[in-house]
Amino acid sequence: MSSHKAVARPCAADKIRSSARDLFYSQGIRAVGVDEIVHKAGVTKPSLYRAFDSKDGLTTAYLSDYQQEFWDRIAVICHDHPDNPRAQLVAYFDGLAWRASQPGYRGCALTNAIVEYPEPEHPVRQEAARLKQQIREWVKQKVCALSVSDPDLLTDGLILLMEGTYGGGQVFRAPGPAAQVGKLARLLLSS
Amino acid sequence: MSSHKAVARPCAADKIRSSARDLFYSQGIRAVGVDEIVHKAGVTKPSLYRAFDSKDGLTTAYLSDYQQEFWDRIAVICHDHPDNPRAQLVAYFDGLAWRASQPGYRGCALTNAIVEYPEPEHPVRQEAARLKQQIREWVKQKVCALSVSDPDLLTDGLILLMEGTYGGGQVFRAPGPAAQVGKLARLLLSS
DNA sequence: GACCATAGGTACCGATCGGTAACATCGTCA
DNA sequence: TGACGATGTTACCGATCGGTACCTATGGTC
């Protein structure tokens, strides 16, 4: 990647990505203007449009960055529980329950983006849906390694628990139903 | 209410509420301008601002209308399954699974509004959160009438399944995990 | 018919939006 | 030194946003 040099002196594009990541996640995509993004990043608007072709282009980059954070968490979990898909799934849901109980939790950036961009042909929505499908397939793969009676139903149940936490974590004040998602995932996994 | 006369000659406010309901739900609140709303309603902008003090005021009215549709569905279900809270819950989740599998499904208007308006003090968000709390209490009340071992955990599980269906129904193409929410609710109810 | 409240229509406002043109400045490396 | 690529500066564009002033038409009451 481009991390060992970029950390020392982050270029404008990186500062913009970081600024957009924080603002888009906490305030929503449509609610944040490009002026606010470049101001927080300490750069100017032409720098944004030199690195990204449009606000939509920056938004898809934001979704990609957010998804990378997901895979980073998964990598840590898989490292902590090697060759134990059940423990990996449980660890993810325990971490999710914790994050969803923190102040400022705003759910999943991909789901939120799909809510904000309902048009099926919109590039932001298509990218978010594509990345979501990858998550679904990761869960399905882990469930299939469990040799349960109905892996498809269990996968669907875990996905609904995840999405429910993304939504319920924003909707209800802590401690909300999202705090119990670890227990509920265990319940589903053992039935 | 104001239905028996309003149907014969719907006043401007009613036409605006109906137009806003369709546009806000299908395209999102921030994505729809007041010009589009009044154009679809066949009225003009001053009529909107005579009936509502602002777009936010119209939006909270939209959320209230949407919530009423929820209570109407609940009323039908309770009429179909009197004195049987378990059957009432199951019937709701079966209906939800069906709706979430229809084309154009966009989840819950209240949850979507909270995603679109993350600021805690925003009146739209506060109204949506207030109405959501009513739903949570309805579920809790039904679950408590069931005399199960851990009613709080079951309530949280059912809420997460609901919210998961709202999100997952938009994110994944049919047939997605949302289609299984009826089975999964039964599974949770019998454990 | 005189009167009045309510609703609709036309035209417009200032602010903000995403996006761009043209030019100055800086650091790096040959 | 000189050339170059990346960034900063300033000013601007057309479109769209939420919201409003002003006038006219309508319907009911006395």
Side-chain angles (χ1 to χ4, degrees):
Chain A
M1 297 309 186
S2 61
S3 51
H4 56 299
K5 288 278 183 184
V7 169
R9 191 176 58 84
C11 65
D14 291 335
K15 289 191 279 188
I16 290 167
R17 285 175 100 109
S18 170
S19 166
R21 146 76 235 236
D22 293 344
L23 289 172
F24 281 160
Y25 183 77
S26 62
Q27 296 177 224
I29 300 167
R30 297 192 110 114
V32 173
V34 292
D35 291 286
E36 197 177 350
I37 294 172
V38 298
H39 178 259
K40 175 170 174 138
V43 301
T44 55
K45 208 157 29 161
S47 292
L48 193 159
Y49 286 97
R50 274 187 282 259
F52 306 93
D53 55 331
S54 65
K55 187 190 179 184
D56 286 347
L58 173 60
T59 303
T60 57
Y62 154 64
L63 297 181
S64 173
D65 289 350
Y66 184 86
Q67 180 81 332
Q68 188 56 50
E69 300 177 17
F70 173 82
W71 291 126
D72 290 347
R73 279 194 294 268
I74 296 296
V76 170
I77 284 172
C78 289
H79 176 267
D80 289 347
H81 306 278
D83 300 320
N84 191 344
R86 188 184 186 282
Q88 290 167 8
L89 285 167
V90 166
Y92 172 77
F93 279 97
D94 282 339
L96 177 61
W98 185 83
R99 289 194 302 278
S101 303
Q102 299 305 110
Y105 182 72
R106 270 260 296 158
C108 171
L110 307 176
T111 301
N112 293 351
I114 287 175
V115 169
E116 288 201 77
Y117 293 88
E119 305 150 84
E121 308 301 323
H122 197 289
V124 169
R125 189 204 174 84
Q126 293 204 335
E127 175 70 0
R130 190 180 68 84
L131 297 175
K132 270 292 181 188
Q133 196 61 32
Q134 295 179 357
I135 298 179
R136 190 185 185 188
E137 275 157 21
W138 180 82
V139 174
K140 183 168 186 174
Q141 172 197 324
K142 293 297 171 186
V143 167
C144 284
L146 247 46
S147 70
V148 294
S149 62
D150 193 340
D152 285 338
L153 185 64
L154 180 55
T155 300
D156 287 344
L158 293 178
I159 291 286
L160 288 186
L161 245 38
M162 287 171 60
E163 294 293 332
T165 307
Y166 300 150
Q170 304 180 61
V171 167
F172 301 103
R173 276 196 307 272
Q180 306 298 325
V181 74
K183 272 189 205 170
L184 289 159
R186 284 181 178 79
L187 201 150
L188 238 54
L189 279 164
S190 61
S191 63
Chain B
M1 295 311 191
S2 61
S3 52
H4 56 299
K5 288 279 182 182
V7 170
R9 191 179 58 83
C11 65
D14 291 336
K15 288 191 280 189
I16 289 169
R17 285 176 101 107
S18 170
S19 166
R21 146 76 236 237
D22 294 344
L23 289 171
F24 281 160
Y25 184 77
S26 61
Q27 297 176 221
I29 300 167
R30 297 192 109 114
V32 173
V34 291
D35 291 285
E36 197 177 351
I37 293 172
V38 297
H39 178 260
K40 176 172 174 134
V43 301
T44 55
K45 214 165 8 169
S47 292
L48 192 160
Y49 285 97
R50 268 189 287 265
F52 306 94
D53 55 331
S54 64
K55 187 191 178 184
D56 286 347
L58 172 60
T59 303
T60 57
Y62 154 64
L63 297 181
S64 173
D65 289 350
Y66 184 86
Q67 180 81 331
Q68 188 56 49
E69 299 176 19
F70 173 83
W71 292 126
D72 290 347
R73 279 194 294 268
I74 296 297
V76 171
I77 285 172
C78 289
H79 177 265
D80 289 347
H81 306 278
D83 300 321
N84 190 343
R86 189 184 187 281
Q88 291 167 6
L89 285 168
V90 167
Y92 172 77
F93 279 97
D94 282 340
L96 177 61
W98 185 84
R99 289 195 302 278
S101 304
Q102 300 304 112
Y105 182 72
R106 270 259 298 156
C108 171
L110 307 176
T111 301
N112 293 351
I114 287 175
V115 170
E116 288 201 78
Y117 293 88
E119 305 151 84
E121 307 302 324
H122 197 289
V124 170
R125 189 203 174 85
Q126 292 205 336
E127 175 70 1
R130 191 181 67 85
L131 297 174
K132 271 290 182 189
Q133 196 60 33
Q134 294 180 358
I135 298 178
R136 191 185 184 189
E137 275 157 19
W138 180 82
V139 174
K140 184 168 188 174
Q141 173 196 324
K142 292 298 170 184
V143 167
C144 285
L146 246 46
S147 69
V148 293
S149 63
D150 194 340
D152 285 337
L153 184 65
L154 180 55
T155 300
D156 287 345
L158 294 178
I159 291 287
L160 288 185
L161 283 184
M162 288 171 59
E163 294 293 331
T165 307
Y166 301 149
Q170 305 179 62
V171 167
F172 302 103
R173 277 196 306 272
Q180 305 299 325
V181 73
K183 272 189 205 170
L184 288 159
R186 284 180 177 80
L187 200 151
L188 238 53
L189 279 164
S190 61
S191 64

